[in-house]
Amino acid sequence: MKFLTFFCKPTRFLLLSLLFLFFVETSFAQQNSQKELISSGIVKAKMGDFSAALKDFNLAIEIDSTVAEPFYNRGVAYTGQNEYEKAILDFTKVIQLRPSYPEPYYNRGLAKDYLKDYQGAIRDYTKAIALKETYPEAYHNRGLAKYDLGDYTQAQMDFSRALQYQPEFAEAFYNRGLSRFNLRDYLGAIQDFNEAIRLDTVQGDYFSSRGAAKAAMGSYEDALIDFSIASEINPGEINPRLNKALAYLYLKQYQNALDEYTRILEQNASIDEAYTNRGVAKQYLGQLPAACEDWKTASDMGSAKAREFLLKYCN
C-alpha cells in the first residue's frame, strides 16, 4: 500500500506598493489629484475593496495615461479580483512605460502563474531577478512555477536562493522541503519542514507534510503525531485526516483506522479512497462482508484498487 501525501502550496506573494516616482507633463494640480486617487485606491485595495479601488485607479488613469503607477496598482487590484488577463495587460503597460521596474515583471509573472502559464511566469520572474538580484519573492515564486512543471531540482535551487536573501522565509523552507520530498530526500525534507514550523507554528500543511516525510521513512508513530497536530490546526481539512487514518493502518491499529475513515466519510461521502481503506481495516478486523460493501462502493466510484480487492476477496 502506497503512503499517500497531500501538499498545499502557499499563496504567491502579491506586492501592493506605492509608486509615486514619476509624474511628468502634468500640472501640479493634476499631479496632486492623481496622487490622491492612487493613495485612496491603494487603501481600498488593502482593505479588500477591489471594486472601489479600481474606480479610483481608472479615474487616475483618465487624468494622465502616461503615468505608470495607476496601471500598476490597477493590475494589483485586478489580480485581487482574479481577473488575471486584465492584470497582465496593465502590468504589460507598466513595463512599456517603465521597463526598469522589477515589480511589474514579478506581478505579471504572478498573474501568469495563476493562469497556469508556468513557462511565461518563469520568464517574467527571471526578468524581475535580472533587474533586482536580491528579490527573494521572485526566486520563491519561480521555484513554485518550476515545481508545478515537475522540475524539483531547479525548484529546490530557487527556494535556496530565496532563503539566501531572506533567511527567515517560512514558505521557502516549506516548498524546498516539498521539492526534496519529491526527490526522495526525506531527511532533508524533514529538516526544511522543521525550519518552516519553527518560523510558523500555525500552518497545518507544514505538520502534515512533515508527517508524510516521516511516514516515507517508516516512522509511522511520529508521522501520526504530525497528522494529529495538522488536524487540530485545521479540523475541517480532510487530507491530514486521510493521512492520519492511513498511518493507523500501517501501525496495524485497524479499529482506529476504521473509526477515522468513518468520521471522514460522515463529513465527505465522496472520497473513494476512504471507502477503499476502510474496507481494508474491516478486512483485518474480520469483517469481510462489510469490507466488500465498502470496496463495492469505492469501485462504483471509479477506484481501481477497490475493484482489485473485490475480485480478489469478494467472489
Side-chain angles (χ1 to χ4, degrees):
M1 204 165 6
K2 182 180 179 181
F3 204 97
L4 302 177
T5 58
F6 301 88
F7 300 131
C8 297
K9 283 190 291 189
T11 303
R12 268 86 168 161
F13 288 88
L14 181 61
L15 299 183
L16 187 61
S17 305
L18 294 171
L19 293 176
F20 298 142
L21 301 180
F22 299 96
F23 289 86
V24 296
E25 297 181 3
T26 59
S27 69
F28 181 76
Q30 286 177 312
Q31 288 183 24
N32 281 341
S33 177
Q34 193 176 54
K35 281 186 177 182
E36 290 171 1
L37 285 167
I38 296 173
S39 293
S40 172
I42 288 174
V43 170
K44 292 171 183 175
K46 286 183 175 179
M47 294 176 64
D49 190 352
F50 296 113
S51 295
L54 286 169
K55 292 179 182 179
D56 284 342
F57 298 141
N58 287 337
L59 289 172
I61 290 168
E62 288 179 9
I63 291 173
D64 187 349
S65 62
T66 67
V67 176
E69 287 72 21
F71 287 104
Y72 174 84
N73 289 296
R74 189 174 71 175
V76 173
Y78 278 138
T79 303
Q81 285 194 321
N82 303 328
E83 297 185 62
Y84 303 121
E85 292 87 352
K86 291 181 179 179
I88 288 170
L89 290 175
D90 273 346
F91 294 133
T92 300
K93 178 68 173 179
V94 177
I95 289 167
Q96 292 169 350
L97 292 169
R98 300 287 180 261
S100 63
Y101 282 14
E103 286 81 8
Y105 286 103
Y106 171 84
N107 280 299
R108 190 173 69 175
L110 180 71
K112 291 177 180 179
D113 227 332
Y114 283 126
L115 291 172
K116 301 186 186 303
D117 176 12
Y118 301 125
Q119 293 289 2
I122 288 170
R123 288 192 292 271
D124 277 342
Y125 294 138
T126 300
K127 182 63 176 179
I129 290 166
L131 292 168
K132 181 182 176 183
E133 183 179 0
T134 58
Y135 203 154
E137 296 86 358
Y139 286 110
H140 175 266
N141 281 11
R142 190 173 70 175
L144 284 175
K146 292 176 180 178
Y147 183 97
D148 285 326
L149 291 170
D151 191 348
Y152 305 121
T153 299
Q154 288 295 317
Q156 177 183 244
M157 293 172 63
D158 272 342
F159 297 135
S160 294
R161 289 298 299 275
L163 288 164
Q164 176 184 343
Y165 295 114
Q166 188 174 324
E168 300 290 279
F169 197 160
E171 290 174 334
F173 276 117
Y174 174 66
N175 283 299
R176 190 173 70 176
L178 295 185
S179 300
R180 288 177 167 173
F181 183 94
N182 281 282
L183 293 168
R184 300 187 179 182
D185 176 12
Y186 303 123
L187 183 58
I190 290 170
Q191 291 170 346
D192 276 342
F193 295 144
N194 286 343
E195 288 299 307
I197 290 167
R198 177 182 65 82
L199 294 166
D200 189 347
T201 61
V202 298
Q203 296 298 325
D205 287 341
Y206 294 2
F207 289 96
S208 186
S209 297
R210 187 175 69 177
K214 291 176 179 178
M217 295 181 68
S219 300
Y220 301 120
E221 291 184 356
D222 287 343
L224 185 60
I225 294 171
D226 275 342
F227 296 143
S228 296
I229 294 172
S231 296
E232 290 172 2
I233 293 173
N234 295 316
E237 288 288 328
I238 292 293
N239 291 340
R241 295 174 59 192
L242 286 168
N243 273 341
K244 180 180 178 181
L246 193 53
Y248 281 135
L249 279 184
Y250 278 114
L251 289 168
K252 300 183 180 180
Q253 298 181 21
Y254 301 121
Q255 187 61 54
N256 285 338
L258 189 156
D259 293 343
E260 188 66 35
Y261 282 123
T262 297
R263 286 190 289 268
I264 290 168
L265 289 168
E266 288 172 352
Q267 182 177 341
N268 187 338
S270 65
I271 304 175
D272 64 272
E273 171 195 322
Y275 283 108
T276 300
N277 288 351
R278 188 175 70 171
V280 172
K282 289 178 177 178
Q283 179 195 27
Y284 280 112
L285 289 168
Q287 304 172 16
L288 185 58
C292 292
E293 290 179 6
D294 275 347
W295 292 334
K296 175 65 165 59
T297 300
S299 179
D300 290 344
M301 295 169 71
S303 170
K305 178 60 70 175
R307 174 69 174 166
E308 179 183 327
F309 288 152
L310 273 175
L311 294 174
K312 186 173 182 179
Y313 297 112
C314 302
N315 286 339

